[in-house]
Amino acid sequence: MIHTQKQNSIAYSCVIHLSHVIDTGIPQWPGDPPVTFTTVAELQDDGYYLRRFSLGEHSATHINAPNSFYTNATSIDEYPAQSLVVPAVVIDICKQAAVNADYLLTIADILTWEAEFGTIPAECAVLLYTGWQAKWLDKSAFLNHDEQGNMHFPGFGSDATQFLITERKIAGVGIDTHGVDSGQDIHFTTNRLLLERSHREQSRSQSLIVLENLTNLDQLPPQGATLVIGILRLRGGSGSPAAVMALF
């Protein structure tokens, strides 16, 4: 049993991992470096066990930084600690995504959610549960390439993203697919809308959160969770594999 903890204004009785286990066979964005583990020290020979690992900055469950799309923008090591602890809401579009793999979240979807749960609070992260997390162990199904090599998975629509940024003043977004943009969007529209603020305003404190390849979103309540996002503070990093936990 987990006893309720309280630190400042965060009270919780449940903690959920939202990050996938990192392994060599995980789905990888085309062109990304492979995940590798190399044994450096063995117990019987060295008295301790140690491995070296290698993976891309946007592999596994990860966070994207503005400099992945904009020159001289914020890198992952510049994210303030307080920006990595945020309240979250979860919008479920599993039914729509099951019918249409290219489904995009709409403003109507957001308003329908708000009619049931209330207006999305400012400074929170909006997590999109598409059901894609269940495909993680089947990389072919997860990336869902067609015969022409195009990927098909759902994401945030550009109108919905702009609405969330300007009308709801969100802190960022997350999703259980390999991109907050749908697999069909080769221009990364949603990523750019979310990450441009640092580029435009040159304000490190204005960087929004973009989380991809989340899991266990089905275990979260529609509202009331708090995300704790652990990053690797890679100097100049365009992003980082992320250890994301939800408390509620």
PDB file of all heavy atoms in Angstrom, residues 26 53 56 66-68 74 78 91 112 127 139 152 155 159 168 180-181 186-187 191 199 209 218 224 230:
ATOM      1  N   ILE A  26      13.059  -1.700 -29.521  1.00  0.00           N
ATOM      2  CA  ILE A  26      11.934  -0.763 -29.485  1.00  0.00           C
ATOM      3  C   ILE A  26      11.706  -0.114 -30.848  1.00  0.00           C
ATOM      4  O   ILE A  26      12.627  -0.028 -31.663  1.00  0.00           O
ATOM      5  CB  ILE A  26      12.151   0.324 -28.415  1.00  0.00           C
ATOM      6  CG1 ILE A  26      13.365   1.192 -28.760  1.00  0.00           C
ATOM      7  CG2 ILE A  26      12.289  -0.289 -27.023  1.00  0.00           C
ATOM      8  CD1 ILE A  26      13.553   2.392 -27.836  1.00  0.00           C
ATOM      9  N   PHE A  53      25.622   2.442 -22.752  1.00  0.00           N
ATOM     10  CA  PHE A  53      24.467   2.408 -23.643  1.00  0.00           C
ATOM     11  C   PHE A  53      24.512   3.586 -24.609  1.00  0.00           C
ATOM     12  O   PHE A  53      25.133   4.614 -24.334  1.00  0.00           O
ATOM     13  CB  PHE A  53      23.142   2.398 -22.858  1.00  0.00           C
ATOM     14  CG  PHE A  53      22.846   3.663 -22.098  1.00  0.00           C
ATOM     15  CD1 PHE A  53      22.143   4.708 -22.692  1.00  0.00           C
ATOM     16  CD2 PHE A  53      23.267   3.812 -20.781  1.00  0.00           C
ATOM     17  CE1 PHE A  53      21.859   5.866 -21.990  1.00  0.00           C
ATOM     18  CE2 PHE A  53      22.992   4.973 -20.074  1.00  0.00           C
ATOM     19  CZ  PHE A  53      22.287   6.005 -20.681  1.00  0.00           C
ATOM     20  N   GLY A  56      19.499   7.521 -29.508  1.00  0.00           N
ATOM     21  CA  GLY A  56      19.265   8.887 -29.969  1.00  0.00           C
ATOM     22  C   GLY A  56      18.535   9.717 -28.936  1.00  0.00           C
ATOM     23  O   GLY A  56      17.862   9.198 -28.040  1.00  0.00           O
ATOM     24  N   PRO A  66      13.114  22.902 -28.201  1.00  0.00           N
ATOM     25  CA  PRO A  66      12.952  23.824 -29.337  1.00  0.00           C
ATOM     26  C   PRO A  66      14.097  23.815 -30.336  1.00  0.00           C
ATOM     27  O   PRO A  66      13.877  24.026 -31.533  1.00  0.00           O
ATOM     28  CB  PRO A  66      12.833  25.190 -28.648  1.00  0.00           C
ATOM     29  CG  PRO A  66      12.193  24.877 -27.333  1.00  0.00           C
ATOM     30  CD  PRO A  66      12.831  23.578 -26.907  1.00  0.00           C
ATOM     31  N   ASN A  67      15.336  23.564 -29.888  1.00  0.00           N
ATOM     32  CA  ASN A  67      16.448  23.611 -30.840  1.00  0.00           C
ATOM     33  C   ASN A  67      16.460  22.423 -31.798  1.00  0.00           C
ATOM     34  O   ASN A  67      17.292  22.369 -32.700  1.00  0.00           O
ATOM     35  CB  ASN A  67      17.793  23.742 -30.118  1.00  0.00           C
ATOM     36  CG  ASN A  67      18.185  22.492 -29.346  1.00  0.00           C
ATOM     37  OD1 ASN A  67      17.332  21.680 -28.990  1.00  0.00           O
ATOM     38  ND2 ASN A  67      19.467  22.359 -29.067  1.00  0.00           N
ATOM     39  N   SER A  68      15.510  21.489 -31.620  1.00  0.00           N
ATOM     40  CA  SER A  68      15.387  20.415 -32.605  1.00  0.00           C
ATOM     41  C   SER A  68      14.748  20.925 -33.894  1.00  0.00           C
ATOM     42  O   SER A  68      14.819  20.265 -34.935  1.00  0.00           O
ATOM     43  CB  SER A  68      14.576  19.244 -32.038  1.00  0.00           C
ATOM     44  OG  SER A  68      13.284  19.654 -31.646  1.00  0.00           O
ATOM     45  N   THR A  74      16.082  27.096 -27.283  1.00  0.00           N
ATOM     46  CA  THR A  74      16.359  26.400 -26.037  1.00  0.00           C
ATOM     47  C   THR A  74      16.783  24.957 -26.273  1.00  0.00           C
ATOM     48  O   THR A  74      16.166  24.234 -27.059  1.00  0.00           O
ATOM     49  CB  THR A  74      15.098  26.404 -25.151  1.00  0.00           C
ATOM     50  OG1 THR A  74      14.643  27.743 -25.010  1.00  0.00           O
ATOM     51  CG2 THR A  74      15.379  25.812 -23.788  1.00  0.00           C
ATOM     52  N   GLU A  78      18.545  23.495 -20.728  1.00  0.00           N
ATOM     53  CA  GLU A  78      18.130  24.821 -20.271  1.00  0.00           C
ATOM     54  C   GLU A  78      16.708  24.842 -19.707  1.00  0.00           C
ATOM     55  O   GLU A  78      16.244  25.893 -19.268  1.00  0.00           O
ATOM     56  CB  GLU A  78      18.244  25.822 -21.419  1.00  0.00           C
ATOM     57  CG  GLU A  78      19.672  26.005 -21.917  1.00  0.00           C
ATOM     58  CD  GLU A  78      19.767  26.968 -23.089  1.00  0.00           C
ATOM     59  OE1 GLU A  78      19.229  26.635 -24.166  1.00  0.00           O
ATOM     60  OE2 GLU A  78      20.365  28.046 -22.926  1.00  0.00           O
ATOM     61  N   ILE A  91      -7.019  13.240 -22.627  1.00  0.00           N
ATOM     62  CA  ILE A  91      -8.128  13.175 -23.573  1.00  0.00           C
ATOM     63  C   ILE A  91      -8.035  11.843 -24.316  1.00  0.00           C
ATOM     64  O   ILE A  91      -7.006  11.515 -24.905  1.00  0.00           O
ATOM     65  CB  ILE A  91      -8.097  14.349 -24.563  1.00  0.00           C
ATOM     66  CG1 ILE A  91      -8.227  15.681 -23.813  1.00  0.00           C
ATOM     67  CG2 ILE A  91      -9.201  14.205 -25.600  1.00  0.00           C
ATOM     68  CD1 ILE A  91      -8.160  16.906 -24.709  1.00  0.00           C
ATOM     69  N   THR A 112     -15.845  18.768 -26.211  1.00  0.00           N
ATOM     70  CA  THR A 112     -16.622  17.637 -25.694  1.00  0.00           C
ATOM     71  C   THR A 112     -16.039  17.160 -24.370  1.00  0.00           C
ATOM     72  O   THR A 112     -16.777  16.879 -23.416  1.00  0.00           O
ATOM     73  CB  THR A 112     -16.632  16.482 -26.714  1.00  0.00           C
ATOM     74  OG1 THR A 112     -17.287  16.915 -27.901  1.00  0.00           O
ATOM     75  CG2 THR A 112     -17.346  15.264 -26.156  1.00  0.00           C
ATOM     76  N   LEU A 127      -2.462  15.358 -22.364  1.00  0.00           N
ATOM     77  CA  LEU A 127      -1.994  14.060 -22.847  1.00  0.00           C
ATOM     78  C   LEU A 127      -3.079  13.428 -23.711  1.00  0.00           C
ATOM     79  O   LEU A 127      -4.247  13.376 -23.325  1.00  0.00           O
ATOM     80  CB  LEU A 127      -1.660  13.140 -21.674  1.00  0.00           C
ATOM     81  CG  LEU A 127      -0.693  13.695 -20.630  1.00  0.00           C
ATOM     82  CD1 LEU A 127      -0.397  12.645 -19.567  1.00  0.00           C
ATOM     83  CD2 LEU A 127       0.595  14.197 -21.274  1.00  0.00           C
ATOM     84  N   LYS A 139       6.736  -3.291 -33.538  1.00  0.00           N
ATOM     85  CA  LYS A 139       7.186  -2.045 -34.170  1.00  0.00           C
ATOM     86  C   LYS A 139       6.524  -1.808 -35.516  1.00  0.00           C
ATOM     87  O   LYS A 139       6.311  -0.665 -35.910  1.00  0.00           O
ATOM     88  CB  LYS A 139       8.718  -2.030 -34.307  1.00  0.00           C
ATOM     89  CG  LYS A 139       9.295  -3.084 -35.217  1.00  0.00           C
ATOM     90  CD  LYS A 139      10.808  -2.936 -35.352  1.00  0.00           C
ATOM     91  CE  LYS A 139      11.524  -3.219 -34.052  1.00  0.00           C
ATOM     92  NZ  LYS A 139      13.000  -3.147 -34.207  1.00  0.00           N
ATOM     93  N   HIS A 152       1.452   5.798 -40.435  1.00  0.00           N
ATOM     94  CA  HIS A 152       0.070   6.140 -40.120  1.00  0.00           C
ATOM     95  C   HIS A 152      -0.176   5.946 -38.626  1.00  0.00           C
ATOM     96  O   HIS A 152      -0.225   4.817 -38.145  1.00  0.00           O
ATOM     97  CB  HIS A 152      -0.901   5.284 -40.931  1.00  0.00           C
ATOM     98  CG  HIS A 152      -0.821   5.502 -42.406  1.00  0.00           C
ATOM     99  ND1 HIS A 152      -1.579   6.457 -43.062  1.00  0.00           N
ATOM    100  CD2 HIS A 152      -0.042   4.897 -43.348  1.00  0.00           C
ATOM    101  CE1 HIS A 152      -1.274   6.419 -44.353  1.00  0.00           C
ATOM    102  NE2 HIS A 152      -0.353   5.495 -44.551  1.00  0.00           N
ATOM    103  N   GLY A 155      -2.664  11.900 -34.066  1.00  0.00           N
ATOM    104  CA  GLY A 155      -1.924  12.971 -33.405  1.00  0.00           C
ATOM    105  C   GLY A 155      -2.809  14.168 -33.112  1.00  0.00           C
ATOM    106  O   GLY A 155      -4.034  14.105 -33.220  1.00  0.00           O
ATOM    107  N   ASP A 159      -5.223  22.986 -35.651  1.00  0.00           N
ATOM    108  CA  ASP A 159      -6.203  23.910 -35.074  1.00  0.00           C
ATOM    109  C   ASP A 159      -6.386  23.649 -33.587  1.00  0.00           C
ATOM    110  O   ASP A 159      -6.478  24.589 -32.781  1.00  0.00           O
ATOM    111  CB  ASP A 159      -7.549  23.787 -35.792  1.00  0.00           C
ATOM    112  CG  ASP A 159      -7.511  24.348 -37.208  1.00  0.00           C
ATOM    113  OD1 ASP A 159      -6.549  25.078 -37.533  1.00  0.00           O
ATOM    114  OD2 ASP A 159      -8.447  24.057 -37.974  1.00  0.00           O
ATOM    115  N   ARG A 168      -6.179  28.113 -24.044  1.00  0.00           N
ATOM    116  CA  ARG A 168      -6.092  27.401 -22.773  1.00  0.00           C
ATOM    117  C   ARG A 168      -4.741  27.579 -22.077  1.00  0.00           C
ATOM    118  O   ARG A 168      -4.565  27.144 -20.950  1.00  0.00           O
ATOM    119  CB  ARG A 168      -6.386  25.913 -22.970  1.00  0.00           C
ATOM    120  CG  ARG A 168      -7.812  25.624 -23.436  1.00  0.00           C
ATOM    121  CD  ARG A 168      -8.840  26.085 -22.413  1.00  0.00           C
ATOM    122  NE  ARG A 168     -10.215  25.814 -22.856  1.00  0.00           N
ATOM    123  CZ  ARG A 168     -11.012  26.715 -23.399  1.00  0.00           C
ATOM    124  NH1 ARG A 168     -10.570  27.974 -23.599  1.00  0.00           N
ATOM    125  NH2 ARG A 168     -12.237  26.411 -23.759  1.00  0.00           N
ATOM    126  N   VAL A 180       3.685  13.728 -31.605  1.00  0.00           N
ATOM    127  CA  VAL A 180       2.473  14.510 -31.362  1.00  0.00           C
ATOM    128  C   VAL A 180       1.825  14.916 -32.679  1.00  0.00           C
ATOM    129  O   VAL A 180       0.633  15.195 -32.741  1.00  0.00           O
ATOM    130  CB  VAL A 180       2.758  15.755 -30.487  1.00  0.00           C
ATOM    131  CG1 VAL A 180       3.161  15.342 -29.078  1.00  0.00           C
ATOM    132  CG2 VAL A 180       3.817  16.658 -31.105  1.00  0.00           C
ATOM    133  N   ASP A 181       2.628  14.951 -33.746  1.00  0.00           N
ATOM    134  CA  ASP A 181       2.091  15.100 -35.094  1.00  0.00           C
ATOM    135  C   ASP A 181       1.697  13.726 -35.604  1.00  0.00           C
ATOM    136  O   ASP A 181       2.322  12.716 -35.256  1.00  0.00           O
ATOM    137  CB  ASP A 181       3.153  15.684 -36.033  1.00  0.00           C
ATOM    138  CG  ASP A 181       3.628  17.047 -35.575  1.00  0.00           C
ATOM    139  OD1 ASP A 181       2.870  18.008 -35.733  1.00  0.00           O
ATOM    140  OD2 ASP A 181       4.752  17.129 -35.056  1.00  0.00           O
ATOM    141  N   ILE A 186       4.550  15.383 -42.391  1.00  0.00           N
ATOM    142  CA  ILE A 186       6.002  15.409 -42.574  1.00  0.00           C
ATOM    143  C   ILE A 186       6.593  16.769 -42.218  1.00  0.00           C
ATOM    144  O   ILE A 186       7.819  16.941 -42.226  1.00  0.00           O
ATOM    145  CB  ILE A 186       6.380  15.038 -44.021  1.00  0.00           C
ATOM    146  CG1 ILE A 186       5.797  16.053 -45.005  1.00  0.00           C
ATOM    147  CG2 ILE A 186       5.937  13.626 -44.347  1.00  0.00           C
ATOM    148  CD1 ILE A 186       6.249  15.846 -46.446  1.00  0.00           C
ATOM    149  N   HIS A 187       5.750  17.754 -41.892  1.00  0.00           N
ATOM    150  CA  HIS A 187       6.228  19.094 -41.565  1.00  0.00           C
ATOM    151  C   HIS A 187       6.296  19.335 -40.052  1.00  0.00           C
ATOM    152  O   HIS A 187       6.720  20.402 -39.618  1.00  0.00           O
ATOM    153  CB  HIS A 187       5.316  20.147 -42.203  1.00  0.00           C
ATOM    154  CG  HIS A 187       5.230  20.040 -43.694  1.00  0.00           C
ATOM    155  ND1 HIS A 187       6.302  20.283 -44.524  1.00  0.00           N
ATOM    156  CD2 HIS A 187       4.190  19.684 -44.509  1.00  0.00           C
ATOM    157  CE1 HIS A 187       5.943  20.098 -45.774  1.00  0.00           C
ATOM    158  NE2 HIS A 187       4.666  19.738 -45.797  1.00  0.00           N
ATOM    159  N   ASN A 191       4.597  20.041 -33.384  1.00  0.00           N
ATOM    160  CA  ASN A 191       5.877  20.285 -32.714  1.00  0.00           C
ATOM    161  C   ASN A 191       6.314  21.731 -32.894  1.00  0.00           C
ATOM    162  O   ASN A 191       6.723  22.393 -31.933  1.00  0.00           O
ATOM    163  CB  ASN A 191       6.950  19.352 -33.294  1.00  0.00           C
ATOM    164  CG  ASN A 191       7.214  18.135 -32.453  1.00  0.00           C
ATOM    165  OD1 ASN A 191       7.796  18.222 -31.373  1.00  0.00           O
ATOM    166  ND2 ASN A 191       6.762  16.989 -32.941  1.00  0.00           N
ATOM    167  N   HIS A 199      11.910  30.162 -29.664  1.00  0.00           N
ATOM    168  CA  HIS A 199      12.589  30.733 -30.835  1.00  0.00           C
ATOM    169  C   HIS A 199      12.121  32.169 -31.092  1.00  0.00           C
ATOM    170  O   HIS A 199      12.917  33.063 -31.342  1.00  0.00           O
ATOM    171  CB  HIS A 199      12.299  29.855 -32.052  1.00  0.00           C
ATOM    172  CG  HIS A 199      12.746  30.431 -33.353  1.00  0.00           C
ATOM    173  ND1 HIS A 199      14.073  30.521 -33.695  1.00  0.00           N
ATOM    174  CD2 HIS A 199      12.052  30.950 -34.398  1.00  0.00           C
ATOM    175  CE1 HIS A 199      14.177  31.068 -34.892  1.00  0.00           C
ATOM    176  NE2 HIS A 199      12.968  31.336 -35.341  1.00  0.00           N
ATOM    177  N   ILE A 209       6.301  21.854 -23.186  1.00  0.00           N
ATOM    178  CA  ILE A 209       6.648  20.442 -23.084  1.00  0.00           C
ATOM    179  C   ILE A 209       6.085  19.684 -24.283  1.00  0.00           C
ATOM    180  O   ILE A 209       4.923  19.855 -24.649  1.00  0.00           O
ATOM    181  CB  ILE A 209       6.068  19.842 -21.783  1.00  0.00           C
ATOM    182  CG1 ILE A 209       6.651  20.548 -20.550  1.00  0.00           C
ATOM    183  CG2 ILE A 209       6.293  18.343 -21.735  1.00  0.00           C
ATOM    184  CD1 ILE A 209       8.115  20.323 -20.343  1.00  0.00           C
ATOM    185  N   ASP A 218      -3.850   4.793 -20.022  1.00  0.00           N
ATOM    186  CA  ASP A 218      -5.139   4.236 -19.635  1.00  0.00           C
ATOM    187  C   ASP A 218      -5.296   4.137 -18.124  1.00  0.00           C
ATOM    188  O   ASP A 218      -6.414   3.976 -17.617  1.00  0.00           O
ATOM    189  CB  ASP A 218      -5.324   2.846 -20.248  1.00  0.00           C
ATOM    190  CG  ASP A 218      -4.217   1.881 -19.853  1.00  0.00           C
ATOM    191  OD1 ASP A 218      -3.025   2.272 -19.941  1.00  0.00           O
ATOM    192  OD2 ASP A 218      -4.524   0.739 -19.464  1.00  0.00           O
ATOM    193  N   GLY A 224      -6.457  15.625 -12.744  1.00  0.00           N
ATOM    194  CA  GLY A 224      -6.006  15.462 -11.374  1.00  0.00           C
ATOM    195  C   GLY A 224      -4.645  14.842 -11.195  1.00  0.00           C
ATOM    196  O   GLY A 224      -4.159  14.724 -10.065  1.00  0.00           O
ATOM    197  N   GLY A 230      11.566  13.435 -15.744  1.00  0.00           N
ATOM    198  CA  GLY A 230      13.017  13.353 -15.555  1.00  0.00           C
ATOM    199  C   GLY A 230      13.727  13.380 -16.897  1.00  0.00           C
ATOM    200  O   GLY A 230      13.359  12.646 -17.821  1.00  0.00           O
TER     201      GLY A 230
END
